[in-house]
Amino acid sequence: MAAIAAASTSMASTAVFTTHLSLCSTAKAASFCRSALPYLLPRVSASAFSTSFKFAESKRSSLLQVKASSSEEASADTSEFITELKEKWDAVEDKTTVLLYGGGAIVAVWLSSILVGAINSVPLLPKVLELVGLGYTGWFVYRYLLFKSSRKELAEDIEELKKKVAGTE
């Protein structure tokens, strides 16, 4: 009995190997044949599964409808955006300062990502910081969002900050 099982396994592996070799002889499959992964034959589906799948697919496709826009509208929006951006750039008087601030912002984001990666690699520290963040979120909700008077106070503080940033105060 073991000899029959071994023979059938050997025959199956030979069939897969010869199919793999026949696929590798074509020019299209050259990159596939260099793969270290074994070749797997495509799966044959049962007829009962395919009919139920077709029904579910037709039902789902009726729910999903995609509305495409013409490429003319997209190109018009893009050209408007570019012309508006050029106008704003021409209106800037001190371009070197803008470039320095932009470069500084990019460097700051890069450095902060390095810092977050370093902190994340320390054992237990990310979980402790997560707990601190959850605690602060809970305090903020209790302090500013739970009661109507505190929400009003938060809105006033935000408006005051907006005025300070805008320079109208």
Side-chain angles (χ1 to χ4, degrees):
M1 191 65 151
I4 294 171
S8 65
T9 305
S10 174
M11 287 172 45
S13 64
T14 305
V16 169
F17 183 70
T18 55
T19 307
H20 183 67
L21 285 179
S22 65
L23 282 175
C24 290
S25 63
T26 62
K28 280 185 177 177
S31 64
F32 168 74
C33 295
R34 283 184 244 132
S35 172
L37 298 174
Y39 174 72
L40 298 175
L41 293 173
R43 211 164 111 181
V44 180
S45 63
S47 62
F49 175 72
S50 64
T51 55
S52 66
F53 179 71
K54 287 179 185 175
F55 175 71
E57 184 178 318
S58 66
K59 190 176 181 182
R60 190 179 323 143
S61 65
S62 67
L63 295 175
L64 299 174
Q65 294 180 355
V66 178
K67 182 179 178 184
S69 64
S70 68
S71 61
E72 295 172 3
E73 291 175 4
S75 64
D77 291 341
T78 306
S79 64
E80 288 176 19
F81 175 73
I82 290 174
T83 56
E84 195 174 306
L85 189 63
K86 284 181 183 178
E87 289 173 3
K88 289 191 186 266
W89 180 250
D90 291 337
V92 172
E93 293 178 14
D94 197 7
K95 294 180 176 146
T96 56
T97 304
V98 172
L99 291 175
L100 285 174
Y101 279 139
I106 291 171
V107 169
V109 168
W110 176 66
L111 285 175
S112 65
S113 71
I114 290 174
L115 181 67
V116 168
I119 288 173
N120 209 16
S121 67
V122 176
L124 292 177
L125 194 57
K127 296 296 179 187
V128 169
L129 291 176
E130 195 172 320
L131 287 174
V132 169
L134 284 172
Y136 181 78
T137 302
W139 172 83
F140 185 85
V141 167
Y142 176 74
R143 172 67 177 90
Y144 289 110
L145 302 177
L146 200 56
F147 304 108
K148 185 175 182 179
S149 61
S150 60
R151 285 192 300 266
K152 191 180 268 188
E153 178 186 348
L154 177 65
E156 290 171 0
D157 289 345
I158 290 173
E159 288 300 320
E160 183 181 325
L161 183 63
K162 281 183 189 177
K163 288 178 183 176
K164 282 183 182 177
V165 169
T168 56
E169 189 173 290

